[in-house]
Amino acid sequence: MRGFLLGGVMAGALACTLTLGAVPAAQARDGIGPGGAAALGVLGGLAVGGAIAAANDPYYPGKPVYRAPPPPVYVEGPVCHFERRETIDPYGDIYVRRVRVCE
């Protein structure tokens, strides 16, 4: 189907080019000369060709694929708990603080 449509577009472009090429050009002296017209035709052809080539991109990554996440990894670390410890400062005051103790 795509090849059929592309062939139709190319045939239409060729027919249009041949038809417009047969019409005598106006003789305006301030317009684009035959060299400039040829250059613009080449640039237009490159632009259309680039658009057609971009439409036929074989490297499209496709639809996204769902993959299950990896299973969780459990790392057993040190066993820690909190204890209350009494500390005495240099002035003789007693403070009770919670201290984390890891075994």
Side-chain angles (χ1 to χ4, degrees):
M1 180 71 177
R2 180 179 258 174
F4 178 73
L5 289 176
L6 185 60
V9 169
M10 296 304 284
L14 181 62
C16 183
T17 303
L18 291 176
T19 304
L20 293 178
V23 176
Q27 296 296 319
R29 298 292 178 200
D30 294 337
I32 298 173
L40 286 176
V42 168
L43 288 176
L46 288 174
V48 171
I52 292 171
N56 295 329
D57 187 13
Y59 298 108
Y60 179 73
K63 296 180 181 178
V65 177
Y66 174 76
R67 293 184 184 162
V73 178
Y74 297 103
V75 178
E76 191 170 324
V79 177
C80 298
H81 63 278
F82 288 95
E83 292 181 357
R84 291 184 181 192
R85 293 198 179 165
E86 291 183 359
T87 57
I88 302 174
D89 67 357
Y91 301 106
D93 296 327
I94 299 174
Y95 294 101
V96 178
R97 297 188 179 184
R98 294 178 62 199
V99 179
R100 183 177 178 189
V101 178
C102 296
E103 298 175 2

